[in-house]
Amino acid sequence: RFPAGTTVYRKIAVICYLTKEWREEYGGSFVDLHRQDAPQALVPMFNSIVAFLVPRVHEVQELSQGCPSRLSIFGWFSDDVPYLPLSKHGPE
């Protein structure tokens, strides 16, 4: 824990997917846009975890109308060290 008033910086994001039998056509995929020439979509798979360094360029696809509920838990690991300039780790 950090003392009250300490600025913290998210460093690692974690998503745990909890929905069984999710299908790509439902939407809701995590799309890694870090490499602008080769975006990569990750379809949520039951009992799997996605972790990535923050900041990272990404998006989550819109859910299709009528799709089942998508359950997940997400969070971050943080510290009090400021980020490097985006030019040091930004989109390629």
Side-chain angles (χ1 to χ4, degrees):
R1 294 195 60 111
F2 298 97
T6 301
T7 300
V8 294
Y9 302 88
R10 296 174 179 171
K11 297 297 176 79
I12 299 172
V14 180
I15 309 163
C16 178
Y17 295 113
L18 301 171
T19 305
K20 294 182 178 179
E21 301 178 9
W22 192 261
R23 298 183 183 160
E24 186 174 1
E25 60 264 24
Y26 295 157
S29 293
F30 173 92
V31 182
D32 184 358
L33 300 170
H34 193 72
R35 288 193 52 196
Q36 295 174 342
D37 63 330
Q40 181 181 9
L42 302 171
V43 178
M45 291 178 48
F46 174 68
N47 209 26
S48 67
I49 292 178
V50 172
F52 56 96
L53 298 176
V54 175
R56 186 167 190 94
V57 182
H58 69 282
E59 68 184 21
V60 176
Q61 294 174 335
E62 184 176 348
L63 296 174
S64 299
Q65 187 171 3
C67 73
S69 296
R70 191 187 74 144
L71 305 174
S72 61
I73 298 172
F74 63 92
W76 300 270
F77 292 93
S78 304
D79 65 20
D80 59 352
V81 178
Y83 298 120
L84 293 172
L86 191 57
S87 63
K88 299 288 185 187
H89 57 79
E92 298 171 4

